[in-house]
Amino acid sequence: MADAGREMRIYTYPHPVLRQKAGTVEEIDQEIQALVDDMIRTMYAAPGIGLAANQIGKPIRVIVFDVREGNDQRRPRVLINPRIVEEEGEIVYEEACLSVVDFSAEVSRSGRVLVEGVDRHGKPQRIEAEGIAAVCLQHEIDHLDGKLFIDHISSLKRSLYKKRLKKMQKSMG
Ligand code: NI
């Protein structure tokens, strides 16, 4: 487990793969298993608490996450074809994203969600989440629909970020 997978390049905004709607996984084959291993390795290396397949350039409906705090023991969760089946309430949380360089902003989302999908063995999963876990699941499932957390902030804040990003790219030559 610890040695599985490769650390992959994480694509960053405005790369078009982040805007693609990810395709449904029809069969959990070797290719998907390898993708899951790569995603877990890449998430921990970053480090991040969640990663969607789009972020490593594969628009396929797979997410991995591990939101436990102070985790000396890693316990990655994998959800294939995840979907939100129930949601309620509200939470405002300061979000960031491995694909959105050098930026964070408060985003309002549902405070509690019920998410269904299957794990890497094809076993049905039903995950009830609140707090940061609810935020993380909604953020990662957004990625699969080609959405980023900056789509949830005001257009003014977003355009300020775009300007700053352009400046950073220029100064990097
Ligand atoms: Ni993200």
Side-chain angles (χ1 to χ4, degrees):
M1 169 78 225
D3 295 325
R6 300 159 294 167
E7 187 179 340
M8 306 292 283
R9 166 190 171 193
I10 295 176
Y11 288 79
T12 58
Y13 175 83
H15 195 284
V17 75
L18 299 170
R19 291 309 193 183
Q20 280 187 45
K21 190 167 163 63
T24 302
V25 175
E26 303 293 350
E27 187 193 352
I28 304 171
D29 54 15
Q30 286 300 25
E31 207 176 316
I32 296 293
Q33 297 293 354
L35 172 70
V36 166
D37 286 335
D38 290 346
M39 287 173 66
I40 291 170
R41 164 69 65 108
T42 304
M43 173 179 72
Y44 286 127
I49 60 167
L51 194 73
N54 303 47
Q55 293 181 274
I56 59 166
K58 312 264 182 180
I60 303 170
R61 303 192 85 78
V62 178
I63 64 172
V64 298
F65 58 99
D66 185 349
V67 294
R68 290 164 323 116
E69 281 173 57
N71 49 345
D72 37 16
Q73 203 189 344
R74 292 171 168 178
R75 210 183 304 147
R77 302 283 312 258
V78 177
L79 265 186
I80 296 171
N81 298 334
R83 59 198 179 94
I84 296 167
V85 294
E86 280 174 33
E87 54 191 312
E88 61 175 22
E90 194 199 7
I91 184 171
V92 176
Y93 193 85
E94 173 107 12
E95 293 188 30
C97 177
L98 297 171
S99 293
V100 179
V101 178
D102 200 27
F103 186 64
S104 66
E106 285 193 337
V107 174
S108 165
R109 297 185 187 268
S110 299
R112 290 171 64 91
V113 291
L114 178 62
V115 176
E116 290 181 354
V118 298
D119 68 10
R120 66 187 304 173
H121 310 292
K123 193 176 161 209
Q125 304 290 306
R126 235 172 115 82
I127 299 176
E128 260 191 83
E130 58 183 4
I132 188 174
V135 170
C136 179
L137 283 166
Q138 290 169 88
H139 177 120
E140 302 312 332
I141 292 171
D142 261 4
H143 274 300
L144 302 180
D145 293 323
K147 281 191 230 156
L148 299 169
F149 81 91
I150 51 174
D151 300 332
H152 294 280
I153 65 177
S154 72
S155 55
L156 175 66
K157 275 190 194 162
R158 194 165 49 246
S159 63
L160 286 174
Y161 174 63
K162 284 182 191 168
K163 261 185 213 157
R164 186 147 62 84
L165 193 62
K166 265 195 195 130
K167 240 185 231 167
M168 288 192 305
Q169 283 163 341
K170 255 184 212 157
S171 65
M172 281 190 277

